[in-house]
Amino acid sequence: MIRTFGFKKDSEPYFNFSLDSLNDHDLQWYWIDFDNPNESEIELLQKHFKFHPLAIEDTLFSLNKPKLDYYEGYTFFILNALKDDTLDPSEVSLFVEQNSLISFHTDSLPEIDAAWERVTGDRSHWEKGSIFVAHQIFDKIVDHFFPAVYKIEDKLDALDANLDRKLIHKLLDEVFQIRGDLLKLRRTVSSMRDLLYRILNSERLPGFKEHKIYFSDIHDHLLKLSDMIESSREITSDLRDSYLSINSNRMNTNMMVLTVITTIFIPLTFIAGIYGMNFDYMPELTWKYGYFLVLGIMTCIGVLMFLWFKSKGWFDS
C-alpha cells in the first residue's frame, strides 16, 4: 500500500495523489509512505524515484542496523522499530530530501501511523516540511520503546515479590528470558542512540540543524532508555544470583539431612551385618534376651547420634 500527502504552495493539503501526477501539482513538499508494499510498488523506488541501488538494496534486505548514508540530493536513513510480540527490530527506511520524504517499511507499524495522523491531522504542521516529518517518525519509534521497557520492569517487580510462590527453577527460567529480551532492546536502543549522535554532530545535514533541539530531545530519551535497560539487567543479575544462592542453600540442606540419616545408619547397619553372618557359634544368638538387647543398643546409638548432630547445629535451618 502506498499513501501520499502533499502540501500545496497555496496552503492546501493534497491526499492520495498518484505518483505519475506528482509533478503536475504545485507542491511545497510531500510525504510518500510505502506500507508493506507489493512487488510492483517496490519497483517504483528505482523506476520512479531513481534512488541509488545500494540504498534500495539496504531497504529491501533486512537485518540492517540503524544507519545514515549521504547520497546526491537526499539522505538515506535506516531506523529500527520494535515488534511488540518478539521485541525484534523492524526496519524503517527513510529517503529525506529538502522538500520530500519517502518512507518504506514491510511491517505495518503503529508508530508510522501515529506520525501520519499527527502530521496530516494538524494544519499547524503542514508548513514545517519533510524534516519535521522525519522527526515525528524518529520520535514515535523511540517513544514506542518505553512501554516495552516498563513492561519488563513490571515483570521484574513481580519476580522479586513472587506472590504466586513459583518454584526456583521457574523463576530462573523467567529471569533468563527477561535477560534475553533486555539484550534485544539494548542492541536496538544502542544502535538508534548512535544514529542520533551522528545526526546531531553531522555537518552534512543542513536542514536538520533547524530542528536540532528536537532531535537532541530524542537522543536524551534514548540515553534514558539505555540507563533503564542497564538498571534492569543489573536487577536480573541480582535476582539470578539470589535464586541460585537459595537453590544452592536448599540443596545443601537436603544433602545435610541425607548425610545425617546415612551417618546414623552406618553403625546400625554394622551391627545388623554382624548378626547377619551365618556362624554356628555366636553366643548372643542363643540368649533369650539377645534380640531385645541388640535392638535397644541400636536405638540408643541412633538417638545419641541424633542428639549429637543437633547439638552441633545441623538442624538449626
Side-chain angles (χ1 to χ4, degrees), residues 64-68 78-80 89 138 145 184-198 222 226:
N64 291 299
K65 288 186 176 181
K67 63 182 296 185
L68 163 62
I78 290 182
L79 316 181
N80 281 169
F138 272 88
F145 294 163
K184 292 179 182 179
L185 283 171
R186 185 173 68 172
R187 289 198 192 105
T188 302
V189 171
S190 298
S191 299
M192 289 289 288
R193 183 190 62 204
D194 294 341
L195 173 61
L196 263 296
Y197 180 82
R198 285 193 61 191
L222 289 167
S226 296

Side-chain angles (χ1 to χ4, degrees), residues 67 85 94 112 122 161 197 207-208 211 242 253 261 274 297 316:
K67 63 182 296 185
D85 51 348
L94 301 181
I112 305 298
D122 191 340
Y197 180 82
F208 283 77
H211 298 78
S242 297
T253 302
I261 294 174
I274 290 177
I297 292 174
D316 291 345

Side-chain angles (χ1 to χ4, degrees), residues 84 108-115 140 144:
D84 292 331
S108 295
L109 300 172
E111 301 94 310
I112 305 298
D113 294 336
K140 298 303 180 183
H144 199 67

Side-chain angles (χ1 to χ4, degrees), residues 52-69:
H52 196 281
L54 290 178
I56 296 177
E57 181 181 352
D58 287 339
T59 299
L60 299 181
F61 295 96
S62 58
L63 302 179
N64 291 299
K65 288 186 176 181
K67 63 182 296 185
L68 163 62
D69 287 331

Side-chain angles (χ1 to χ4, degrees), residues 9-10 12 18 36 45 49 73 90 94-95 100 141 165 190 202 206 209-210 212 256 284 295 299:
K9 292 184 178 179
D10 56 2
E12 290 296 329
S18 65
N36 193 16
L45 293 176
F49 295 102
S90 178
L94 301 181
F95 301 85
S100 67
I141 287 176
R165 302 296 181 184
S190 298
S202 175
K209 289 185 178 180
E210 300 175 3
K212 185 174 182 179
M256 181 184 65
E284 295 84 356
L295 285 182
T299 301

Side-chain angles (χ1 to χ4, degrees), residues 28-286:
Q28 185 173 340
W29 67 271
Y30 59 88
W31 177 13
I32 300 175
D33 180 47
F34 288 76
D35 184 356
N36 193 16
N38 54 38
E39 291 295 330
S40 60
E41 292 172 339
I42 291 175
E43 293 177 356
L44 295 174
L45 293 176
Q46 174 63 41
K47 293 182 179 180
H48 189 279
F49 295 102
K50 302 185 184 305
F51 292 130
H52 196 281
L54 290 178
I56 296 177
E57 181 181 352
D58 287 339
T59 299
L60 299 181
F61 295 96
S62 58
L63 302 179
N64 291 299
K65 288 186 176 181
K67 63 182 296 185
L68 163 62
D69 287 331
Y70 305 101
Y71 292 96
E72 185 177 356
Y74 62 93
T75 308
F76 176 66
F77 298 91
I78 290 182
L79 316 181
N80 281 169
L82 279 184
K83 297 179 181 179
D84 292 331
D85 51 348
T86 63
L87 298 183
D88 291 327
S90 178
E91 290 186 13
V92 178
S93 300
L94 301 181
F95 301 85
V96 183
E97 299 182 51
Q98 192 65 32
N99 62 343
S100 67
L101 183 142
I102 313 300
S103 56
F104 183 99
H105 48 100
T106 56
D107 298 314
S108 295
L109 300 172
E111 301 94 310
I112 305 298
D113 294 336
W116 183 271
E117 292 297 329
R118 178 170 173 79
V119 172
T120 62
D122 191 340
R123 188 181 186 90
S124 62
H125 300 322
W126 294 348
E127 296 183 358
K128 296 181 179 179
S130 58
I131 308 301
F132 174 77
V133 176
H135 165 261
Q136 288 299 306
I137 294 175
F138 272 88
D139 187 52
K140 298 303 180 183
I141 287 176
V142 172
D143 285 346
H144 199 67
F145 294 163
F146 281 97
V149 176
Y150 290 147
K151 185 176 180 180
I152 288 178
E153 289 182 343
D154 292 340
K155 287 182 179 180
L156 290 175
D157 291 339
L159 283 178
D160 190 25
N162 193 21
L163 299 178
D164 297 334
R165 302 296 181 184
K166 295 180 181 178
L167 299 177
I168 293 295
H169 69 274
K170 291 185 177 180
L171 293 173
L172 281 173
D173 289 342
E174 292 187 24
V175 167
F176 284 114
Q177 181 181 356
I178 290 175
R179 284 182 64 85
D181 292 339
L182 287 171
L183 182 60
K184 292 179 182 179
L185 283 171
R186 185 173 68 172
R187 289 198 192 105
T188 302
V189 171
S190 298
S191 299
M192 289 289 288
R193 183 190 62 204
D194 294 341
L195 173 61
L196 263 296
Y197 180 82
R198 285 193 61 191
I199 293 174
L200 292 175
N201 293 275
S202 175
E203 298 296 331
R204 300 178 62 182
L205 298 171
F208 283 77
K209 289 185 178 180
E210 300 175 3
H211 298 78
K212 185 174 182 179
I213 186 172
Y214 299 104
F215 286 95
S216 178
D217 181 66
I218 298 175
H219 186 255
D220 291 341
H221 289 171
L222 289 167
L223 291 176
K224 180 180 179 180
L225 284 166
S226 296
D227 291 340
M228 293 170 66
I229 291 172
E230 290 305 318
S231 176
S232 295
R233 280 179 57 83
E234 291 178 4
I235 293 174
T236 58
S237 297
D238 293 341
L239 289 175
R240 178 195 59 193
D241 294 341
S242 297
Y243 293 152
L244 289 175
S245 298
I246 292 172
N247 191 50
S248 177
N249 181 64
R250 289 182 178 178
M251 185 177 296
N252 290 337
T253 302
N254 294 335
M255 292 300 297
M256 181 184 65
V257 173
L258 294 175
T259 300
V260 169
I261 294 174
T262 302
T263 304
I264 291 175
F265 272 89
I266 285 175
L268 306 185
T269 304
F270 174 73
I271 295 173
I274 290 177
Y275 288 100
M277 295 186 293
N278 295 322
F279 290 113
D280 291 336
Y281 301 101
M282 294 184 70
E284 295 84 356
L285 296 179
T286 59

